[in-house]
């Protein structure tokens, strides 16, 4: 409550909301470094729960950290060993009932866990930065598949891909789209890039610039 009181700084009223993590000796550790690590985990749990709160360290927090680290390491291996694959969801016209496009959805064929749904690995990929090479792989694979279908006679279908905020914020994103199109020999009008409104929140000017670059393609 004391930390949340407004501060007057240079004529501006500023409010700080604290997120506090608590570790207890000796339950959560007997060494200073161990206790600091445990309290740090608890603090991040407080932040992820909305902030302006406190959380005590619990055993499940360490388990979650270990699980996240394992997923991240396995995901790096998945990229290297080509364990990722795309499923294609048809897009239908309500007017005609025809299939007018398809959306590329990434999946992970884990050698031990089987087919891993995106909700179990995309958040880890975004936090670790792996979403950028994953997104680039999706872009290149989807455009190549679209061109393959065109050569087989499906000449008027559009390929849609979902782009994460992290990937979209890359300075060279528009260039990577152009590179993928050129490599696949696919006309840009057959690619649909799906983004969320959150891409505008961090740096609107950069987002607008990227959107214009995509539009020019």
């Amino acid at each position: 409550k004391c930390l949340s009181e407004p501060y007057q700084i240079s004529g501006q009223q500023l409010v700080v909301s604290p997120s506090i993590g608590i570790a207890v000796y000796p339950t959560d550790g007997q060494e200073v470094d161990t206790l600091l690590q445990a309290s740090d985990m608890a603090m991040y749990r407080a932040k992820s729960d909305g902030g302006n709160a406190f959380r005590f360290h619990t055993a499940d927090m360490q388990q979650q950290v270990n699980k996240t680290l394992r997923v991240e390491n396995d995901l790096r291996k998945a990229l290297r060993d080509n364990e990722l694959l795309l499923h294609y969801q048809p897009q239908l016209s309500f007017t005609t009932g025809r299939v007018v496009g398809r959306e590329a959805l990434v999946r992970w064929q884990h050698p031990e866990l089987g087919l891993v749904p995106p909700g179990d690995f995309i958040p880890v990929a975004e936090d670790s930065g792996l979403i950028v090479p994953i997104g680039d792989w999706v872009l290149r694979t989807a455009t190549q598949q679209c061109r393959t279908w065109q050569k087989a006679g499906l000449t008027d279908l559009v390929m849609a891909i979902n782009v994460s905020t992290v990937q979209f914020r890359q300075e060279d994103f528009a260039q990577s789209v152009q590179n993928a199109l050129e490599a696949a020999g696919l006309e840009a009008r057959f690619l649909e890039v799906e983004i969320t409104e959150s891409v505008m929140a961090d740096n609107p000017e950069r987002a607008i610039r990227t959107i214009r670059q995509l539009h020019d393609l």
Side-chain angles (χ1 to χ4, degrees):
K1 183 178 179 180
C2 292
L3 289 171
S4 298
E5 292 292 330
Y7 294 87
Q8 296 293 331
I9 300 178
S10 300
Q12 299 290 328
Q13 180 171 285
L14 305 178
V15 177
V16 178
S17 61
S19 298
I20 302 172
I22 304 169
V24 180
Y25 171 91
T27 307
D28 298 319
Q30 298 187 16
E31 303 293 333
V32 172
D33 289 345
T34 305
L35 288 167
L36 284 173
Q37 185 181 39
S39 64
D40 196 47
M41 289 182 201
M43 182 269 291
Y44 277 106
R45 176 64 63 86
K47 289 172 69 70
S48 66
D49 287 348
N52 197 28
F54 66 88
R55 293 291 183 270
F56 283 88
H57 178 266
T58 59
D60 74 289
M61 293 180 187
Q62 184 63 54
Q63 293 171 359
Q64 183 60 44
V65 169
N66 293 340
K67 178 182 177 182
T68 299
L69 183 59
R70 185 167 60 252
V71 170
E72 181 180 337
N73 290 334
D74 284 356
L75 203 50
R76 294 182 189 279
K77 179 177 178 294
L79 274 167
R80 185 179 67 247
D81 296 346
N82 297 316
E83 295 172 7
L84 299 179
L85 66 155
L86 292 182
H87 287 181
Y88 298 95
Q89 179 171 276
Q91 296 176 326
L92 300 170
S93 167
F94 280 158
T95 305
T96 65
R98 291 182 60 249
V99 175
V100 295
R102 58 278 205 205
E103 180 180 1
L105 304 173
V106 65
R107 298 292 185 267
W108 177 11
Q109 189 65 49
H110 194 285
E112 298 174 6
L113 302 178
L115 196 62
V116 181
D120 290 351
F121 68 89
I122 291 298
V124 176
E126 290 184 331
D127 289 342
S128 64
L130 287 172
I131 195 66
V132 175
I134 289 175
D136 190 57
W137 175 85
V138 169
L139 177 62
R140 288 183 284 105
T141 304
T143 50
Q144 290 168 1
Q145 181 63 67
C146 186
R147 184 61 183 138
T148 298
W149 280 332
Q150 285 185 346
K151 292 177 180 178
L154 302 174
T155 58
D156 60 345
L157 299 183
V158 173
M159 177 67 76
I161 61 167
N162 293 295
V163 177
S164 77
T165 302
V166 177
Q167 183 184 7
F168 186 83
R169 287 174 181 166
Q170 301 299 305
E171 289 288 348
D172 61 346
F173 175 68
Q175 184 62 51
S176 67
V177 171
Q178 183 174 358
N179 292 343
L181 290 169
E182 291 176 351
L186 183 69
E187 293 182 50
R189 62 193 177 99
F190 292 111
L191 179 65
E192 183 177 276
V193 177
E194 298 185 358
I195 57 176
T196 64
E197 63 274 12
S198 61
V199 302
M200 305 295 291
D202 183 41
N203 191 328
E205 291 183 0
R206 183 173 62 187
I208 291 171
R209 184 170 65 250
T210 300
I211 290 172
R212 285 175 174 163
Q213 290 171 342
L214 292 172
H215 184 268
D216 290 341
L217 288 178

